[in-house]
Amino acid sequence: MYPIRIAPSIIAADFSYLRADLARAEQGGADMLHVDIMDGHFVPNITFGPDIVKAMRKHTKLPFDVHLMISKPRKFVTAFFEAGANCITFHVECEDQIRTTIDEITYYDCKVGLALKPETPLSAVKGQLRAIDRLLIMTVKPGFGGQKFMPDMMAKVREAVEIRKQGGFKFDIEVDGGLNKYTIWDAARAGAEIIVAGTSVFKEVDLAKAIQDLRDNARESLAYLNPPPVDPDIPPVDPANPSGEPDI
Ligand code: DX5
Ligand code: ZN
């Protein structure tokens, strides 16, 4: 069982206090920072480029999980790697050649991931699964934070878990969009390991508690899924007399 990791999405932070929010995330127990890059073409929104990533790199040791929602990721690989990316994930629906772009990223000492829009089936990444470290399954339409979680994407997560097992692949399964302390229950049960959370972390005053709540609920849902083995020495509870007290 892969550990659950929490990746706060920096686009939900207060950019006028970016350095402070980076410190809040690191001190609050984040496992990595999710960095959404949007080009206004692949998605109908624009965020920022490598220079902002480089500026953030100076202020945190958190690994950068860079999510490229751009049409032509290949020509920006070097810039994002040099800016401090630890994993570069791009969309299988982009305009560039997939394997060439994967090779471009792995040329550097950088993890590589492939992302899928909600409407894109897993079959679109078949043939690439042995070459990637991360499979990102979008649980909202890419382009904006604060959207509603799509529970029907959990079937794709379960399918990915099965394919990984059958194929002996090593990729992590990441979900992105609308994750909070309630929806994480479904995501963890389906088999997601990296949980991106923007609004449900950076919009909270007590960021550390927000991250802990996510982790606790994920752990609880997994415990619920895999209850501890019954101790044969403990007699079963009699529903008619749950306290087991003698009826005098
Ligand atoms: C959406 C981005 C997500 C988003 C998550 O296109 O890829 O990472 O910022 O934000 P929340 O958690 O608010 O949905
Ligand atoms: Zn993202």
Side-chain angles (χ1 to χ4, degrees), residues 9 34 36 67 69 136 138 176 196:
S9 166
H34 185 76
D36 290 306
H67 177 194
M69 287 161 277
L136 189 159
M138 294 296 308
D176 184 11
V196 175

Side-chain angles (χ1 to χ4, degrees), residues 74-85:
R74 201 170 151 219
K75 64 180 178 195
F76 293 98
V77 167
T78 306
F80 281 108
F81 174 71
E82 288 174 355

Side-chain angles (χ1 to χ4, degrees), residues 232-245:
D233 300 333
I234 299 178
V237 173
D238 171 3
N241 179 14
S243 69
E245 295 297 320

